[in-house]
Amino acid sequence: MNKPDPHHHHDAVAKRLKRAEGHLRSILSMMEEHRPCLELAQQLYAVERAISQAKKILIQDHIDHCLQDAVGELNEDRQRTIDEFKEITKYL
C-alpha cells in the first residue's frame, strides 16, 4: 500500500511558478518593445516576489509535513521545540 503524498502544496507551488513563467515571458516582450527600465524593474520585482513566495510555500510544506513524519511521535517538550522551529521558519 502506498503512503499518501505529504506534499500538500506542490500543486499550488507549480501554479505560482507557471504564472511567474508567463509573467517573465511578458517581461521579455516588454524588453523587445524597449519599454522604460522602471516598468521592467517593477515587473521583474513582481516575478522575483512570486518565485520567492513559491519557494517559501515549498519549504514550509516540507517542514510542516516531512519533518514531523521523520521525527515521529514526541513528548510534549520536544514537540514544542519542533512547533517553535516550524513557526520561526515563517520569518525567513
Side-chain angles (χ1 to χ4, degrees):
M1 182 171 200
N2 289 340
K3 188 175 179 181
D5 184 9
H7 302 287
H8 302 287
H9 294 98
H10 277 200
D11 288 342
V13 170
K15 286 178 187 177
R16 283 178 182 268
L17 292 174
K18 286 177 185 178
R19 277 196 305 269
E21 178 184 35
H23 198 163
L24 193 54
R25 270 195 237 104
S26 71
I27 294 168
L28 289 169
S29 294
M30 290 173 65
M31 292 180 82
E32 291 170 359
E33 297 166 3
H34 303 288
R35 300 281 290 271
C37 290
L38 179 58
E39 288 181 31
L40 295 170
Q42 289 169 331
Q43 296 305 311
L44 284 168
Y45 177 75
V47 170
E48 182 180 45
R49 295 285 297 169
I51 292 171
S52 178
Q53 188 63 23
K55 178 182 73 171
K56 185 176 181 178
I57 291 168
L58 178 79
I59 292 169
Q60 205 61 48
D61 187 52
H62 180 77
I63 290 169
D64 285 347
H65 301 97
C66 297
L67 177 65
Q68 193 66 55
D69 287 348
V71 297
E73 292 293 320
L74 299 172
N75 68 37
E76 189 175 320
D77 288 338
R78 288 187 176 184
Q79 184 61 51
R80 186 174 20 260
T81 300
I82 294 294
D83 292 342
E84 287 174 3
F85 175 75
K86 289 178 185 180
E87 189 64 30
I88 201 167
T89 60
K90 293 177 183 178
Y91 296 103
L92 293 176

